[in-house]
Amino acid sequence: MDKWRSIFLDSFPSLDEYTLMYKDLHQHPELPCQESRTAAAAARHLESLGHQVQRNVGGHGVVGVLRNGPGATVLLRAELDAIPLAEDTGLPYASTAAQVDADGTTKPVMHGCGHDLHMACLLGAADLLRRVRDAWSGTLVCVFQPNEERLLGARAMVDDGLFDKIPMPDVALAQHALPKRAGTVGARPGRVQGILDSLAVRVHGRGTHSSSPQLGIDPILIASRIVSRLQTDVTAEVGSAAPCVVTCGYLHAGTDASIIPDFADFTIDVRSLDQAVQDTAVETVHRIIQAECQAAGSPKAPRITTSAHCPPIDNDAAATARFVSALQGFYKDDEDGPGKVVEMERDITADDFALLASPPGEKPIPYVYWKFGVTPRDVYDEAARNGTLEDLPLNHNPKFAVEIEPSLRVGIESLAIASVAFFESGSS
């Protein structure tokens, strides 16, 4: 990687340009399925870099292809969408955006998961690889995925014929920002991200005036009982040997304090790292919901639908080893040196990236999914000294904030390093 360090250093694009791009994306976040402005910005920039661009793939998805002679085809992925969250970072470029969500409610919007940084890094990496195209040969595919936050965008792109629109990749690559020390990169082979089943539930009651609860059946009480016992009961079923998390992030019922409504809606997320544990947990959740409704005398059976299912992320061992070796070689003379490349922790969160490596009717594409730290270094170091690392704002927290430099540079470098490592190998 010595030659690539020199080549990249001589040809690195302007960080000022991509910092401005990051701040613009951050200030103009868009909810899943509404990423029109964001997608247009990504498409325009890819076209300016010489990519053949296709828009509206699986929604607002954008795909750019840069053919640069014979060799491997490398797919890089970033995400377009943001989340319904009011930003509270105090940054001068903080989001004040709001949009009407799919449920008809106007909500604040924030890039609270780092997708704005992912996009800026991917566009910067595409720029860097274009500048040094005389030094590599192959095909670069840049995918900007919509609707990742609801874990439906990757499947939508595949179902919309993604793999008929691009050369078949030899390897797929993606990265994700997380609250580790800015400038660090972490990877590991095997399972790195969890399984998710998101269940949309409606429990039925019988409406009445709140002064006469004996004349009705309160679905809010039914829902509350279900939510309050789920985590305890699921843990008892699956045991403590394997991690499993059950949460409710949405519960809505009724229109007025004086009215007991006819139904209550809520969502349950079930997450684990093991399929057998996941199956047991989901079955337990179904059983608890049905039993609580029966015990309350609910007039109708509950409606339980799986609104999203996400498979785990299992990094290919050989591809991950090549990526880590390339990173270590690239950064071996860096002032942060050995501490820059770390082993990534397994994470029970979900990401539908693996579906972009699953072409229908074809063998799976080897892939590597890694994470890079974005927490300001002084903040992280102080928390490490004080033993308060767990207090740092996580993704999906209104205070989640990125230290742009060195996070942006490292994110660009990681994607470019990984790409040339696989272009040089010819495949994964």
Side-chain angles (χ1 to χ4, degrees):
M1 275 289 148
D2 285 342
K3 74 165 187 176
W4 287 109
R5 188 173 179 87
S6 175
I7 291 170
F8 285 174
L9 182 63
D10 291 341
S11 303
F12 209 86
S14 166
L15 278 179
D16 289 343
E17 176 185 356
Y18 287 96
T19 295
L20 289 173
M21 180 182 296
Y22 163 74
K23 290 180 177 180
D24 179 72
L25 292 167
H26 188 87
Q27 284 187 303
H28 299 93
E30 294 176 302
L31 290 172
C33 301
Q34 301 187 49
E35 314 98 329
S36 57
R37 181 189 186 276
T38 308
R44 285 195 304 270
H45 199 74
L46 286 176
E47 287 174 337
S48 76
L49 299 176
H51 283 243
Q52 294 177 320
V53 174
Q54 299 184 67
R55 294 168 167 83
N56 302 318
V57 182
H60 290 294
V62 175
V63 180
V65 177
L66 181 67
R67 290 177 171 85
N68 190 37
T73 296
V74 174
L75 183 152
L76 307 179
R77 193 274 321 241
E79 312 94 310
L80 296 167
D81 55 338
I83 56 177
L85 187 68
E87 181 166 352
D88 185 26
T89 60
L91 293 169
Y93 51 88
S95 169
T96 59
Q99 284 183 309
V100 179
D101 207 348
D103 59 4
T105 304
T106 299
K107 299 176 181 177
V109 191
M110 175 190 178
H111 269 300
C113 203
H115 293 179
D116 46 357
L117 183 63
H118 299 175
M119 288 184 279
C121 289
L122 179 48
L123 291 169
D127 190 353
L128 176 56
L129 290 168
R130 176 189 62 88
R131 292 166 182 259
V132 301
R133 62 189 301 171
D134 290 343
W136 61 271
S137 180
T139 299
L140 177 66
V141 178
C142 295
V143 173
F144 289 80
Q145 178 195 320
N147 203 10
E148 189 279 332
E149 290 294 350
R150 292 176 183 156
L151 302 172
L152 298 171
R155 173 58 64 198
M157 295 191 82
V158 173
D159 289 346
D160 197 21
L162 172 66
F163 292 104
D164 297 325
K165 304 176 191 294
I166 63 173
M168 187 61 66
D170 293 294
V171 67
L173 306 170
Q175 62 184 1
H176 204 295
L178 81 165
K180 297 294 185 181
R181 192 176 194 271
T184 57
V185 186
R188 66 181 295 155
R191 183 149 302 177
V192 294
Q193 295 277 115
I195 308 162
L196 169 69
D197 286 285
S198 189
L199 308 178
V201 184
R202 171 168 288 185
V203 294
H204 298 275
R206 186 168 60 241
T208 186
H209 196 286
S210 63
S211 66
S212 305
Q214 74 278 8
L215 300 179
I217 297 173
D218 192 340
I220 299 175
L221 288 179
I222 299 173
S224 299
R225 291 183 186 120
I226 291 168
V227 172
S228 64
R229 68 177 294 182
L230 276 178
Q231 184 71 70
T232 300
D233 284 21
V234 170
T235 301
E237 290 276 347
V238 304
S240 58
C244 180
V245 176
V246 181
T247 56
C248 173
Y250 172 86
L251 196 160
H252 177 79
T255 58
D256 189 85
S258 65
I259 304 169
I260 292 176
D262 284 326
F263 60 86
D265 293 325
F266 56 96
T267 59
I268 297 294
D269 278 357
V270 183
R271 303 173 185 270
S272 72
L273 291 167
D274 179 86
Q275 190 61 58
V277 169
Q278 187 75 6
D279 291 343
T280 298
V282 171
E283 190 279 329
T284 302
V285 170
H286 276 256
R287 191 175 70 247
I288 290 170
I289 293 170
Q290 291 161 353
E292 285 288 355
C293 289
Q294 185 176 14
S298 181
K300 294 170 63 176
R303 185 183 71 197
I304 309 171
T305 58
T306 300
S307 56
H309 169 76
C310 188
I313 291 184
D314 294 314
N315 276 342
D316 180 81
T320 303
R322 180 172 291 118
F323 170 65
V324 171
S325 177
L327 276 182
Q328 291 172 335
F330 188 88
Y331 287 123
K332 64 182 175 68
D333 295 325
D334 192 88
E335 62 178 283
D336 290 332
K340 196 149 193 168
V341 183
V342 300
E343 185 176 58
M344 173 180 170
E345 298 172 359
R346 299 177 82 193
D347 193 339
I348 205 169
T349 57
D351 188 311
D352 60 355
F353 168 65
L355 297 176
L356 294 178
S358 303
E362 304 285 343
K363 66 179 183 179
I365 299 166
Y367 60 82
V368 186
Y369 179 95
W370 67 90
K371 298 196 175 181
F372 64 118
V374 298
T375 298
R377 290 160 293 178
D378 57 343
V379 173
Y380 187 90
D381 292 345
E382 181 179 3
R385 288 192 297 269
N386 297 336
T388 57
L389 288 174
E390 290 188 354
D391 294 337
L392 295 175
L394 294 170
N395 308 65
H396 290 215
N397 184 298
K399 294 186 181 296
F400 179 76
V402 166
E403 185 176 31
I404 299 176
E405 175 58 22
S407 303
L408 179 60
R409 174 181 286 275
V410 169
I412 292 172
E413 288 174 343
S414 296
L415 290 168
I417 292 164
S419 297
V420 297
F422 290 101
F423 287 138
E424 286 189 331
S425 72
S427 71
S428 64

